[in-house]
Amino acid sequence: MAQLVECVPNFSEGRNKEVIDAIAESISSSEGCSLLDVDPGSSTNRTVYTFVGSPDAVVEGALNAARRAFSLIDMSKHSGEHPRTGALDVCPFIPVQNVTMDDCIRCANIFGQRLAELLHVPVYLYGEAARTEGRRSLPSVRAGEYEALPEKLKHGHWAPDFGPASFIPSWGATVTGARKFLIAYNVNVIGTKEQAHRIALDVREQGRGKDQPGILKKVQALGWYLEEANLAQVSTNILDYELTPLHAVYEEICRDAEELNLPVVGSQVVGLIPLKAMLDCADFYISRDRLFILEEEHKVRLVISKLGLDSLGSFNPKERIIEYMVTSREDGEDGGGLASLSLKRFVQSVGARTAAPGGGSVSAAVAALGAALGAMVGQMTYGKRQFDNLDSVMRRLIPPFHRAMAELLDMVDADATAFSGYMAALKMPKNTAEEIKRRDAAMQEKLQRAVGVPLALAERVSVLWPSLRQMALYGNIACKSDAQVAAKVLETAVFGAYYNIIINLKDVTDDAFKSATQQRASALLQEAEHSAAAILKAAEQRV
């Protein structure tokens, strides 16, 4: 999979469509950059752009956008609800795929230095790229906003990290850095700006000051009035959605609004949102309300409904969830991996004159089909009047198969990727003793990874045997043959995994790893044989 960095430059223009479009065009025309979202706001007079690409590509894309904005935005005439310090107010780099935070820190430093050299403007580093603790927080760097810059730049402790300590009236200053995925999330309130800000002070981590900290960790917030929608918003930045999830922010704001007798009328995600944030939110409501929802699509719809994410405009998951956007991009460029192929093309790719995909990928695909059959038997039982007494049983049995389907599908590509890694190690240079040593070490590492995928497959199937046995005993009798096929298919997948493990183990030099892995693989194969036979017998006895 390609290296992908997300870049989210915020420009201080949200009303002039020609300017907004010109900046968007400068990004989309940058080689290697995919513009995913453009989100302008009239009241904030600010537009958030989201694009992805390789580390080098996103730096170039951000520079092209800044260069274009330099001639189009005049900060001396700017006003808006959102805090800002410059025409390109903030430009963070975020790891998305096959990149580290260190990679994004390098992006921020390269971008900051080149921007300062290109436009002769002051640039500050923040977040993970900050060089001092006092500049880690964006609000701290932006304190006083654009209007305070002339005085701030006179003080040595506010000297920029790059560029001159000079006030450029038309530009101001730019803040760049690296961070985790930030969710810009606003909750709509029918009330005043002051009431919304009162709630913001209560919920944000900073609170009302040192003696009155707020409730929600890693959350920034303020209140404003959205003229175009004729309502107030509690505007938040969720800096760590795993620590403070989306639903926690929404529910807390709802509680505070209720105390003020203010109605909450939906909410809004600005820019893109990670799929995990949506699914974590769905899981909260599924658990709280004792719902039975399996499909990812349905979970996303639940969140849209619960949070009212479409209250101010359409929320199209394919255009707002970053994984869906990235997948769409990859599908357009390289097919999106083996698991995204049609069945016909997958079979053809297996039958082609290439070593991968091979038996490992086929075993994973077969295992995914076995898990899917188990889920199908449950789905054909759950919710039917004649099986009402089994609803609670099916609610327990179906989810393990549903989760396994997705995980085993991922292994189709994981196996091929592991094999490709080993082949790449084989091709490493071996002209010197040092090169031979590096090559041998790389080969051993890749071999162990190649063994690890089919072993994980067999372990994953192992978890399903008890559930499949119960499904065969209690599931819809009309689906008996499907349960039987599921048993045999899962057993076959474990056989395939076993033989892939054995053929790769023969070249592993770590005897302890080799012995432990072979013993575990043999035990999993034996378990699969016995479990499949028991399930087939149990199903056959049902009439």
Side-chain angles (χ1 to χ4, degrees), residues 14 16 42 59 94 108-109 147 205 242 246 294 312 315 321 328 357 371 375 417 467 473 540:
N16 188 323
S42 177
V59 169
I94 302 108
N109 276 274
E147 288 74 15
E205 182 174 24
E242 292 179 303
L246 196 64
L294 295 172
L312 297 182
F315 185 95
I321 296 175
S328 176
T417 300
S467 296
L473 287 172
E540 195 59 40

mmCIF file of all heavy atoms in Angstrom, residues 14 16 42 59 94 108-109 147 205 242 246 294 312 315 321 328 357 371 375 417 467 473 540:
data_model
loop_
_atom_site.group_PDB
_atom_site.id
_atom_site.type_symbol
_atom_site.label_atom_id
_atom_site.label_comp_id
_atom_site.label_asym_id
_atom_site.label_seq_id
_atom_site.Cartn_x
_atom_site.Cartn_y
_atom_site.Cartn_z
ATOM 1 N N GLY A 14 -13.686 32.332 3.227
ATOM 2 C CA GLY A 14 -14.799 31.402 3.124
ATOM 3 C C GLY A 14 -15.995 31.973 2.397
ATOM 4 O O GLY A 14 -17.073 31.373 2.405
ATOM 5 N N ASN A 16 -15.544 34.230 -0.811
ATOM 6 C CA ASN A 16 -15.260 34.506 -2.220
ATOM 7 C C ASN A 16 -15.025 33.191 -2.968
ATOM 8 O O ASN A 16 -13.969 32.569 -2.834
ATOM 9 C CB ASN A 16 -14.042 35.418 -2.341
ATOM 10 C CG ASN A 16 -13.817 35.909 -3.762
ATOM 11 O OD1 ASN A 16 -14.030 35.172 -4.728
ATOM 12 N ND2 ASN A 16 -13.384 37.157 -3.894
ATOM 13 N N SER A 42 -19.096 30.647 5.666
ATOM 14 C CA SER A 42 -19.280 32.083 5.468
ATOM 15 C C SER A 42 -19.088 32.859 6.769
ATOM 16 O O SER A 42 -18.377 33.862 6.806
ATOM 17 C CB SER A 42 -20.675 32.342 4.894
ATOM 18 O OG SER A 42 -20.905 33.727 4.753
ATOM 19 N N VAL A 59 3.590 18.107 0.553
ATOM 20 C CA VAL A 59 4.358 19.332 0.804
ATOM 21 C C VAL A 59 4.264 20.249 -0.413
ATOM 22 O O VAL A 59 4.013 21.456 -0.292
ATOM 23 C CB VAL A 59 5.828 19.004 1.138
ATOM 24 C CG1 VAL A 59 6.678 20.270 1.129
ATOM 25 C CG2 VAL A 59 5.927 18.325 2.502
ATOM 26 N N ILE A 94 -0.857 14.902 8.753
ATOM 27 C CA ILE A 94 -1.404 13.819 9.578
ATOM 28 C C ILE A 94 -1.102 12.475 8.933
ATOM 29 O O ILE A 94 -1.354 12.297 7.735
ATOM 30 C CB ILE A 94 -2.936 13.985 9.736
ATOM 31 C CG1 ILE A 94 -3.270 15.343 10.354
ATOM 32 C CG2 ILE A 94 -3.532 12.864 10.568
ATOM 33 C CD1 ILE A 94 -3.891 16.320 9.388
ATOM 34 N N ALA A 108 6.279 18.873 7.975
ATOM 35 C CA ALA A 108 6.014 20.202 8.535
ATOM 36 C C ALA A 108 7.266 21.073 8.498
ATOM 37 O O ALA A 108 7.196 22.266 8.166
ATOM 38 C CB ALA A 108 5.490 20.068 9.959
ATOM 39 N N ASN A 109 8.396 20.491 8.838
ATOM 40 C CA ASN A 109 9.647 21.264 8.836
ATOM 41 C C ASN A 109 10.057 21.680 7.429
ATOM 42 O O ASN A 109 10.466 22.827 7.205
ATOM 43 C CB ASN A 109 10.764 20.462 9.501
ATOM 44 C CG ASN A 109 10.769 20.593 11.015
ATOM 45 O OD1 ASN A 109 11.359 21.519 11.564
ATOM 46 N ND2 ASN A 109 10.087 19.674 11.693
ATOM 47 N N GLU A 147 -4.403 40.217 14.944
ATOM 48 C CA GLU A 147 -4.266 41.592 15.428
ATOM 49 C C GLU A 147 -3.107 41.768 16.413
ATOM 50 O O GLU A 147 -2.574 42.880 16.560
ATOM 51 C CB GLU A 147 -5.577 42.045 16.083
ATOM 52 C CG GLU A 147 -6.715 42.296 15.098
ATOM 53 C CD GLU A 147 -7.333 41.030 14.531
ATOM 54 O OE1 GLU A 147 -7.075 39.946 15.105
ATOM 55 O OE2 GLU A 147 -8.060 41.124 13.525
ATOM 56 N N GLU A 205 -11.346 21.106 27.596
ATOM 57 C CA GLU A 205 -10.360 20.714 28.609
ATOM 58 C C GLU A 205 -9.815 21.927 29.358
ATOM 59 O O GLU A 205 -9.642 21.888 30.573
ATOM 60 C CB GLU A 205 -9.210 19.956 27.955
ATOM 61 C CG GLU A 205 -8.165 19.471 28.952
ATOM 62 C CD GLU A 205 -7.086 18.600 28.323
ATOM 63 O OE1 GLU A 205 -6.859 18.734 27.107
ATOM 64 O OE2 GLU A 205 -6.491 17.795 29.047
ATOM 65 N N GLU A 242 -9.971 8.888 20.236
ATOM 66 C CA GLU A 242 -9.970 7.616 20.950
ATOM 67 C C GLU A 242 -10.050 7.849 22.456
ATOM 68 O O GLU A 242 -10.639 7.045 23.188
ATOM 69 C CB GLU A 242 -8.732 6.801 20.576
ATOM 70 C CG GLU A 242 -8.763 6.335 19.129
ATOM 71 C CD GLU A 242 -7.530 5.550 18.740
ATOM 72 O OE1 GLU A 242 -6.416 6.088 18.887
ATOM 73 O OE2 GLU A 242 -7.689 4.401 18.295
ATOM 74 N N LEU A 246 -16.496 10.818 19.805
ATOM 75 C CA LEU A 246 -17.491 11.742 19.258
ATOM 76 C C LEU A 246 -18.764 11.789 20.107
ATOM 77 O O LEU A 246 -19.275 12.861 20.420
ATOM 78 C CB LEU A 246 -17.817 11.295 17.825
ATOM 79 C CG LEU A 246 -18.532 12.264 16.905
ATOM 80 C CD1 LEU A 246 -17.670 13.486 16.633
ATOM 81 C CD2 LEU A 246 -18.880 11.566 15.593
ATOM 82 N N LEU A 294 -25.270 -5.007 12.624
ATOM 83 C CA LEU A 294 -24.025 -5.642 12.231
ATOM 84 C C LEU A 294 -23.320 -4.910 11.099
ATOM 85 O O LEU A 294 -22.096 -4.737 11.115
ATOM 86 C CB LEU A 294 -24.284 -7.088 11.794
ATOM 87 C CG LEU A 294 -24.788 -8.049 12.870
ATOM 88 C CD1 LEU A 294 -25.189 -9.365 12.229
ATOM 89 C CD2 LEU A 294 -23.715 -8.276 13.929
ATOM 90 N N LEU A 312 -27.444 20.327 8.710
ATOM 91 C CA LEU A 312 -27.116 21.548 7.971
ATOM 92 C C LEU A 312 -26.779 21.283 6.519
ATOM 93 O O LEU A 312 -26.415 22.200 5.774
ATOM 94 C CB LEU A 312 -25.942 22.273 8.645
ATOM 95 C CG LEU A 312 -26.187 22.771 10.070
ATOM 96 C CD1 LEU A 312 -24.962 23.499 10.587
ATOM 97 C CD2 LEU A 312 -27.400 23.687 10.121
ATOM 98 N N PHE A 315 -24.886 14.578 4.486
ATOM 99 C CA PHE A 315 -23.682 13.899 4.966
ATOM 100 C C PHE A 315 -23.557 12.606 4.176
ATOM 101 O O PHE A 315 -24.201 11.608 4.482
ATOM 102 C CB PHE A 315 -23.764 13.603 6.471
ATOM 103 C CG PHE A 315 -22.505 13.004 7.042
ATOM 104 C CD1 PHE A 315 -21.549 13.805 7.644
ATOM 105 C CD2 PHE A 315 -22.261 11.636 6.962
ATOM 106 C CE1 PHE A 315 -20.384 13.258 8.164
ATOM 107 C CE2 PHE A 315 -21.098 11.079 7.475
ATOM 108 C CZ PHE A 315 -20.159 11.892 8.079
ATOM 109 N N ILE A 321 -16.042 10.294 5.015
ATOM 110 C CA ILE A 321 -15.237 9.368 5.820
ATOM 111 C C ILE A 321 -13.938 9.099 5.075
ATOM 112 O O ILE A 321 -13.940 8.630 3.933
ATOM 113 C CB ILE A 321 -16.011 8.066 6.088
ATOM 114 C CG1 ILE A 321 -17.252 8.375 6.943
ATOM 115 C CG2 ILE A 321 -15.127 7.039 6.789
ATOM 116 C CD1 ILE A 321 -18.161 7.195 7.179
ATOM 117 N N SER A 328 -11.584 4.868 -2.446
ATOM 118 C CA SER A 328 -12.058 5.272 -3.764
ATOM 119 C C SER A 328 -10.890 5.714 -4.629
ATOM 120 O O SER A 328 -10.809 5.397 -5.819
ATOM 121 C CB SER A 328 -13.074 6.400 -3.627
ATOM 122 O OG SER A 328 -13.481 6.878 -4.877
ATOM 123 N N PRO A 357 -1.283 -13.711 -6.235
ATOM 124 C CA PRO A 357 -1.816 -14.478 -5.104
ATOM 125 C C PRO A 357 -1.722 -15.971 -5.337
ATOM 126 O O PRO A 357 -1.842 -16.445 -6.469
ATOM 127 C CB PRO A 357 -3.272 -14.017 -5.026
ATOM 128 C CG PRO A 357 -3.613 -13.661 -6.447
ATOM 129 C CD PRO A 357 -2.374 -13.061 -7.013
ATOM 130 N N ALA A 371 -16.879 -18.131 7.005
ATOM 131 C CA ALA A 371 -17.443 -17.265 8.041
ATOM 132 C C ALA A 371 -18.736 -16.612 7.557
ATOM 133 O O ALA A 371 -19.704 -16.472 8.313
ATOM 134 C CB ALA A 371 -16.425 -16.194 8.440
ATOM 135 N N ALA A 375 -22.535 -16.646 9.179
ATOM 136 C CA ALA A 375 -23.355 -15.458 9.420
ATOM 137 C C ALA A 375 -24.698 -15.580 8.711
ATOM 138 O O ALA A 375 -25.743 -15.203 9.257
ATOM 139 C CB ALA A 375 -22.614 -14.212 8.938
ATOM 140 N N THR A 417 0.921 -9.582 0.298
ATOM 141 C CA THR A 417 1.885 -8.546 0.667
ATOM 142 C C THR A 417 3.084 -9.145 1.391
ATOM 143 O O THR A 417 4.236 -8.757 1.151
ATOM 144 C CB THR A 417 1.211 -7.491 1.563
ATOM 145 O OG1 THR A 417 0.126 -6.900 0.843
ATOM 146 C CG2 THR A 417 2.195 -6.407 1.975
ATOM 147 N N SER A 467 -19.037 -21.510 17.971
ATOM 148 C CA SER A 467 -20.219 -20.795 17.471
ATOM 149 C C SER A 467 -20.851 -21.522 16.296
ATOM 150 O O SER A 467 -22.086 -21.588 16.180
ATOM 151 C CB SER A 467 -19.832 -19.363 17.054
ATOM 152 O OG SER A 467 -19.395 -18.615 18.165
ATOM 153 N N LEU A 473 -26.662 -26.543 15.323
ATOM 154 C CA LEU A 473 -27.659 -27.185 16.184
ATOM 155 C C LEU A 473 -28.965 -26.402 16.244
ATOM 156 O O LEU A 473 -30.046 -26.992 16.291
ATOM 157 C CB LEU A 473 -27.093 -27.340 17.605
ATOM 158 C CG LEU A 473 -26.018 -28.413 17.802
ATOM 159 C CD1 LEU A 473 -25.419 -28.305 19.195
ATOM 160 C CD2 LEU A 473 -26.603 -29.805 17.588
ATOM 161 N N GLU A 540 -26.156 -33.448 10.623
ATOM 162 C CA GLU A 540 -26.774 -34.589 9.952
ATOM 163 C C GLU A 540 -27.865 -35.222 10.819
ATOM 164 O O GLU A 540 -28.840 -35.774 10.305
ATOM 165 C CB GLU A 540 -25.692 -35.642 9.629
ATOM 166 C CG GLU A 540 -26.137 -36.689 8.632
ATOM 167 C CD GLU A 540 -26.558 -36.090 7.298
ATOM 168 O OE1 GLU A 540 -25.891 -35.145 6.822
ATOM 169 O OE2 GLU A 540 -27.588 -36.545 6.756
#
